[in-house]
Amino acid sequence: MIATVSSQKKVKPPEPFGPLPTQKQVDWQEMEFYAFVHFSLNTFTNKEWGYGDESPELFNPTNLDVRQWARVVKEAGMKGIILVAKHHDGFCLWPSAYTQRSVKNSPWKNGKGDLVKELAAACKEYGLKLGLYLSPWDRNRADYGKPEYVTYFRNQLKELLSNYGDVFEMWFDGANGGDGYYGGANETRKINTLEYYKWDETYKLIYKIAPSTLVWGVGPSEARWIGNEEGRAGKTNWSLLRQRDELAGKVHYSEFMSGHEDGEKWVPGEADVSIRPGWFYHAIEDDKVRPLDEMVDIYYESIGRNATLLLNLPVDKRGLVHENDQARLKELVSTIKEDFKTDVLTATKISADNVRGNNAEFAAKKVSDRNKNTYWATDDNIKSASIVFEFNKPTPINRILLQEYIKLGQRVKAFNVEAKVDEKWISLAHETTIGYKRILRIDRVTASALKINIADSKASILISNIEAYNAPTFVRMPKILRDKNGNVTIKSQGENAIYYTIDGSNPTQKSILYKGVFQYKKAFEIKAFAIDAVENISSAVTTAKYGASKENWKILTASSGDLNSVNRIIDGNPNTDWSFGDNLNKLPQEITIDMGSILDINGFTYIPQQVGNNLNLISNYEFYSSLDNVEWILQSQGEFSNIKSNPIEQVKTFKKDKARYIRFVARSAIGKGTTVSIAEINIIETL
């Protein structure tokens, strides 16, 4: 039965339900997409986390141009930039009055520069909002862990919030306490994150100075981490959080991906991810910019899942966003623009089986009027209802976008989508939450009608916007695999043809056609793309680099662990792993490998365990090389910074050297673990 809509009688609007966003939070959510910029001493020391003992004189960009950052961000459709003003090493990108560890003691602009000031001006020029990251942890300060440091931290907050105009977001990292320089103490200092900083008082200070600033991260924040550094929200994603439990230490960070249906506070999710593996710039990652496929997935699984997307652009030693990062960003923006080029629902006939008070103010057509302040609403007692879009002629669709009117609360618990194809209704999707924005990618169907069924809602239904699109076919990049014996396999979707090169050049349809597994044992770079022959649409190019094959590698010794399965760390498969160390065999633990021949190496990689809840991650390491298994050279040592939050392949480089034997030492584990795991050990071979 289709509801008859009348505009004669005045109908009471829906009452708010549950926790509600502030206007500040609504404005923040509507930004959707904004940039992170990591640029500091770590850029010049090739680190992810500085220890705190690095000299400020190392900060010396050759061609710093914050207007280039702003232009790149603006052209990508992002709405703001959050600058890492101070990272864990304590170096400040503004001339803080409270420390000598800042740009005022660097060669850049002869110590007269103020990077925060320059970026604030560039953001204003390009119509962008400015956000700031201030690390609560400081591995340089001698007083870290003492009450005096909290005063120092707050003084710096006052500087940042008072001197640079409006700050849309203040970002506090969750990494707090651990080993550091601490004024020369070179020790580990542990603090209770929730108690030490007295966050309630700190937040009051922030809101007194800058009431329009949204505070993210630790403490009673107004937005939450999404629980990973992969830029992905859960398919179910509530903007609510049991924050009282979180502040009492009763919420595991993995719950942040989905939020809490019964949360007592509105704390929406922000998905943060870097366009490269690391957060800071490393030249070795110039060819490791995230593939277009992954970037597109990230967009749909962050903004398309009721989160905002904070995309990191690691500025290089010149002081510029690197060309490779710019190119990938342009590809992403172009793809998304094409996906959402034409809303096919604008000319449809729209109806619903319930309309609040049968009043035109809440009619079904409100979901298509492009007014964010209007919405289709149901009567108070109606928590399930359907809305139907009838096309003038059968129309292809493969994207569906939905938005709730969140100012009155997030309500929808379950919904599904149907399409009428050849006079029959077929099911396209069964989903849970909507929130501010939900985007579905579905297989293309040619439909005469589209139906959205809200199956369950906490209260009456309020939907402000529904759109549908026929996005171009997206051909996924092929996956390249090589085993320890040098056997190369390239896989693509369906029957797509694959073309590849092994000389570093970009492949075309005149390159080698992949016909099956082939063997290539030398160090090489392979590039490949797939093509959909029916629509003549190509994928982006996949690139993979390999050292010489590992067929002659042998594990010579391992200080503990199951020696029957130890070859998993050199089998070329990152999905297999091996562990050593336990309560009897305390860390450090080591393993020695014979590579079978003398190679020119200039680095190594450690791939941590990839599958499971407890990944047994290594935090500190040593790496040695030898020509004869007698005399050993320490080539690299230190920490795998941020591996807990981002357990990806860890890359360490050193000066080129010849070696036949390598020794990897796991010195310590994340947390209090005694067992550590390795999925794969690789060397970086000079090509």
Side-chain angles (χ1 to χ4, degrees):
M1 177 71 182
I2 302 298
T4 302
V5 175
S6 167
S7 59
Q8 300 303 312
K9 58 181 181 177
K10 186 69 177 172
V11 174
K12 186 179 178 183
E15 293 288 336
F17 183 87
L20 302 177
T22 61
Q23 187 59 49
K24 186 201 306 184
Q25 288 172 314
V26 172
D27 294 343
W28 173 86
Q29 186 100 47
E30 289 177 351
M31 288 179 69
E32 295 191 7
F33 189 24
Y34 40 99
F36 222 173
V37 170
H38 280 66
F39 177 62
S40 190
L41 277 180
N42 292 345
T43 309
F44 300 90
T45 59
N46 203 30
K47 295 178 180 177
E48 279 292 286
W49 286 3
Y51 191 65
D53 59 351
E54 304 83 7
S55 169
E57 293 182 4
L58 294 170
F59 184 81
N60 192 20
T62 56
N63 192 26
L64 178 61
D65 184 1
V66 293
R67 294 181 72 253
Q68 185 248 15
W69 308 1
R71 188 185 73 250
V72 169
V73 167
K74 184 72 173 181
E75 288 175 353
M78 293 190 265
K79 299 299 197 304
I81 299 175
I82 297 179
L83 174 69
V84 176
K86 184 191 84 168
H87 204 250
H88 310 325
D89 58 84
F91 180 75
C92 302
L93 295 181
W94 77 101
S96 174
Y98 300 98
T99 181
Q100 295 303 306
R101 189 169 174 76
S102 79
V103 287
K104 66 187 176 186
N105 283 311
S106 77
W108 176 60
K109 294 198 170 181
N110 296 314
K112 303 298 183 184
D114 184 339
L115 188 50
V116 179
K117 183 178 180 180
E118 287 193 15
L119 183 60
C123 285
K124 190 172 183 179
E125 178 184 348
Y126 281 88
L128 299 168
K129 294 184 179 181
L130 174 71
L132 295 170
Y133 167 124
L134 181 69
S135 173
W137 184 23
D138 193 319
R139 299 173 101 179
N140 171 264
R141 292 287 296 190
D143 56 3
Y144 183 77
K146 301 172 184 176
E148 306 91 88
Y149 173 75
V150 178
T151 301
Y152 168 75
F153 174 63
R154 290 178 181 169
N155 282 334
Q156 291 198 317
L157 263 177
K158 290 176 189 175
E159 286 183 313
L160 291 173
L161 293 172
S162 302
N163 299 331
Y164 300 103
D166 291 339
V167 174
F168 85 89
E169 181 172 333
M170 198 73 224
W171 214 94
F172 294 134
D173 203 308
N176 286 287
D179 62 338
Y181 181 67
Y182 302 127
N186 290 309
E187 63 188 22
T188 297
R189 296 185 181 177
K190 296 190 180 299
I191 53 110
N192 183 312
T193 305
L194 294 174
E195 295 177 4
Y196 173 59
Y197 299 99
K198 296 182 174 59
W199 285 113
D200 284 339
E201 294 177 27
T202 302
Y203 275 56
K204 286 176 185 175
L205 170 72
I206 293 168
Y207 296 143
K208 183 178 180 181
I209 302 170
S212 63
T213 297
L214 178 139
V215 189
W216 182 98
V218 191
S221 61
E222 297 168 281
R224 71 179 193 271
W225 183 40
I226 209 62
N228 61 69
E229 293 183 354
E230 299 167 9
R232 319 257 179 157
K235 290 184 76 174
T236 296
N237 185 16
W238 292 98
S239 293
L240 314 178
L241 193 68
R242 293 194 297 271
Q243 194 169 74
R244 284 193 293 264
D245 286 350
E246 183 211 352
L247 295 176
K250 297 177 181 178
V251 173
H252 191 266
Y253 68 83
S254 60
E255 296 174 52
F256 294 164
M257 278 190 75
S258 299
H260 296 135
E261 183 181 336
D262 60 350
E264 82 284 344
K265 189 175 176 185
W266 189 277
V267 191
E270 175 186 83
D272 61 325
V273 67
S274 183
I275 201 166
R276 296 172 175 232
W279 289 95
F280 283 93
Y281 175 81
H282 310 287
I284 197 169
E285 293 181 355
D286 282 351
D287 62 353
K288 290 184 170 61
V289 179
R290 291 185 190 271
L292 177 61
D293 293 29
E294 189 176 352
M295 294 303 302
V296 170
D297 287 347
I298 284 169
Y299 181 91
Y300 279 104
E301 294 179 28
S302 56
I303 294 171
R305 289 183 176 176
N306 189 36
T308 59
L309 175 56
L310 175 60
L311 178 64
N312 181 59
L313 303 174
V315 168
D316 64 23
K317 289 183 179 181
R318 297 171 299 175
L320 302 172
V321 178
H322 194 274
E323 291 81 356
N324 294 7
D325 301 2
Q326 290 187 62
R328 180 66 75 246
L329 196 52
K330 285 180 180 178
E331 287 180 322
L332 170 66
V333 171
S334 175
T335 300
I336 297 303
K337 279 185 177 177
E338 284 299 312
D339 282 4
F340 298 99
K341 194 170 183 179
T342 305
D343 178 10
V344 299
L345 299 184
T346 53
T348 58
K349 179 183 176 184
I350 309 173
S351 58
D353 58 7
N354 182 273
V355 170
R356 187 175 186 84
N358 289 332
N359 191 282
E361 185 180 353
F362 306 108
K365 65 180 181 181
K366 295 295 183 181
V367 302
S368 196
D369 66 1
R370 290 294 191 270
N371 183 342
K372 66 182 181 181
N373 294 314
T374 62
Y375 47 88
W376 163 52
T378 63
D379 292 320
D380 284 339
N381 60 335
I382 301 297
K383 299 178 183 179
S384 62
S386 298
I387 185 167
V388 178
F389 302 83
E390 297 176 71
F391 297 103
N392 293 326
K393 61 181 181 179
T395 302
I397 53 174
N398 59 7
R399 300 286 187 275
I400 300 166
L401 184 154
L402 307 100
Q403 294 184 271
E404 287 187 80
Y405 185 73
I406 60 170
K407 289 184 178 181
L408 296 179
Q410 186 180 358
R411 302 168 179 236
V412 175
K413 297 168 65 175
F415 71 98
N416 60 74
V417 181
E418 297 176 88
K420 198 172 190 179
V421 179
D422 297 330
E423 299 305 312
K424 292 182 180 178
W425 286 104
I426 63 170
S427 177
L428 301 182
H430 286 265
E431 302 294 342
T432 53
T433 53
I434 296 175
Y436 166 73
K437 181 173 284 187
R438 186 69 193 276
I439 308 172
L440 307 183
R441 287 182 288 181
I442 59 172
D443 291 335
R444 183 181 286 119
V445 295
T446 300
S448 58
L450 180 71
K451 184 191 293 185
I452 311 293
N453 304 305
I454 307 300
D456 193 12
S457 181
K458 289 183 173 184
S460 59
I461 300 161
L462 277 64
I463 305 295
S464 65
N465 187 36
I466 300 176
E467 302 167 15
Y469 297 86
N470 179 32
T473 297
F474 187 77
V475 181
R476 290 195 170 270
M477 294 157 46
K479 296 189 185 315
I480 304 171
L481 303 167
R482 190 181 75 162
D483 67 18
K484 66 175 294 185
N485 296 317
N487 295 312
V488 180
T489 304
I490 314 178
K491 298 179 179 179
S492 71
Q493 281 180 311
E495 302 298 317
N496 292 342
I498 302 168
Y499 294 89
Y500 69 94
T501 60
I502 55 175
D503 60 2
S505 64
N506 283 323
T508 68
Q509 290 187 53
K510 294 181 180 179
S511 301
I512 308 167
L513 174 64
Y514 176 74
K515 295 180 179 179
V517 178
F518 65 93
Q519 196 170 67
Y520 203 93
K521 297 183 178 183
K522 297 178 182 178
F524 77 121
E525 180 179 42
I526 179 170
K527 295 185 177 183
F529 75 96
I531 184 165
D532 182 321
V534 176
E535 298 189 48
N536 197 32
I537 297 173
S538 300
S539 74
V541 174
T542 305
T543 302
K545 283 185 177 180
Y546 296 98
S549 61
K550 296 180 179 178
E551 60 181 331
N552 295 321
W553 283 34
K554 294 178 183 176
I555 308 294
L556 296 182
T557 61
S559 53
S560 64
D562 178 11
L563 297 182
N564 292 319
S565 58
V566 69
N567 282 327
R568 291 176 182 172
I569 71 171
I570 58 171
D571 65 0
N573 184 354
N575 293 318
T576 62
D577 57 81
W578 176 82
S579 302
F580 60 166
D582 52 38
N583 290 328
L584 295 177
N585 298 285
K586 303 286 188 183
L587 298 175
Q589 295 289 309
E590 64 182 47
I591 191 158
T592 303
I593 300 170
D594 176 5
M595 297 186 293
S597 61
I598 295 174
L599 302 173
D600 290 320
I601 65 173
N602 67 324
F604 80 97
T605 74
Y606 153 60
I607 301 179
Q609 180 182 334
Q610 297 295 296
V611 181
N613 292 323
N614 183 4
L615 300 181
N616 297 315
L617 300 168
I618 298 168
S619 60
N620 288 75
Y621 73 93
E622 291 172 354
F623 185 87
Y624 299 83
S625 71
S626 172
L627 285 168
D628 56 10
N629 198 23
V630 177
E631 298 289 332
W632 290 89
I633 300 171
L634 176 61
Q635 297 285 11
S636 181
Q637 64 179 330
E639 66 182 358
F640 296 124
S641 304
N642 202 36
I643 193 171
K644 180 179 178 181
S645 297
N646 200 21
I648 60 172
E649 182 176 24
Q650 307 293 304
V651 180
K652 299 293 180 180
T653 57
F654 45 78
K655 189 177 179 181
K656 176 184 172 183
D657 206 353
K658 292 185 179 296
R660 171 168 174 167
Y661 303 91
I662 56 175
R663 178 173 292 158
F664 179 69
V665 182
R667 292 204 55 81
S668 59
I670 292 293
K672 299 178 181 179
T674 55
T675 298
V676 292
S677 291
I678 302 170
E680 201 75 16
I681 292 289
N682 295 309
I683 54 98
I684 299 171
E685 190 176 354
T686 308
L687 292 174

